[in-house]
């Protein structure tokens, strides 16, 4: 089994772009159930937000999922997924909450804002390298 990188616990980052607020939450999730539970927790916490975009990558089964949550196609969820992949992380979910500020950002602006907020949250996270090891004890006379 190869070594892999993941994050421990949770991390958060916030940016503002043309009066829209982007709050990215990153968390360790090694199962789809944990990823979806984290997503639902963020959605409950930010009920009044316009969008709760997410992406996650699981090592087990090499599963990747993302959602634009009402944003134009491939402007939010996919850039978030790409930021996670660029960081080389697995067993990780990032949910970015957007509170709309009244100014349209355009597709390029959305891609930049979601990518940047995700990257900041991952930078704030504690990254761990996981490696399979085995302890062996020998009794030598």
């Amino acid at each position: 089994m190869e070594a892999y990188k993941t994050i421990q616990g949770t991390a958060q980052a916030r940016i503002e772009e043309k009066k829209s607020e982007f709050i990215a939450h990153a968390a360790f999730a090694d199962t789809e159930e944990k990823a979806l539970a984290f997503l639902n927790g963020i959605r409950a916490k930010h009920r009044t937000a316009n969008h709760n975009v997410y992406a996650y990558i699981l090592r087990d089964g090499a599963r990747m999922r993302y959602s634009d949550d009402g944003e134009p196609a491939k402007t939010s969820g996919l850039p978030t997924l790409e930021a996670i992949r660029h960081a080389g992380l697995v067993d990780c979910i990032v949910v970015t909450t957007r509170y709309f500020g009244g100014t349209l950002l355009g597709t390029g602006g959305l891609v930049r804002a979601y990518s940047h907020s995700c990257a900041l949250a991952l930078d704030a996270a504690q990254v761990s390298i996981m490696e399979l090891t085995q302890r062996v004890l020998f009794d030598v006379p």
Side-chain angles (χ1 to χ4, degrees):
M1 178 193 276
E2 287 185 31
Y4 63 94
K5 287 184 357 181
T6 189
I7 65 172
Q8 291 185 357
T10 62
Q12 180 179 321
R14 178 193 169 281
I15 64 169
E16 190 172 309
E17 188 70 34
K18 294 185 181 179
K19 299 182 183 176
S20 284
E21 183 180 16
F22 295 84
I23 307 165
H25 299 83
F28 171 79
D30 58 354
T31 65
E32 198 159 21
E33 292 78 22
K34 288 179 185 175
L36 295 177
F38 182 75
L39 169 63
N40 291 331
I42 297 299
R43 281 182 174 159
K45 181 179 176 182
H46 295 281
R47 279 186 179 84
T48 61
N50 299 87
H51 307 280
N52 284 293
V53 168
Y54 73 89
Y56 61 84
I57 299 177
L58 304 179
R59 183 178 54 90
D60 187 33
R63 181 168 295 211
M64 294 182 225
R65 296 276 189 266
Y66 71 89
S67 169
D68 294 315
D69 193 37
E71 293 283 23
K74 298 183 181 176
T75 61
S76 50
L78 188 58
T80 301
L81 182 68
E82 288 301 319
I84 298 169
R85 287 179 54 185
H86 180 71
L89 297 169
V90 294
D91 290 347
C92 176
I93 180 170
V94 176
V95 181
T96 303
T97 301
R98 179 184 183 197
Y99 288 96
F100 183 61
T103 304
L104 296 176
L105 300 178
T107 56
L110 287 172
V111 169
R112 283 188 297 278
Y114 280 104
S115 297
H116 186 60
S117 60
C118 176
L120 289 176
L122 294 176
D123 286 345
Q126 183 178 351
V127 176
S128 295
I129 298 174
M130 306 300 282
E131 203 167 357
L132 182 63
T133 60
Q134 186 173 17
R135 176 176 261 172
V136 179
L137 297 174
F138 290 99
D139 244 350
V140 180

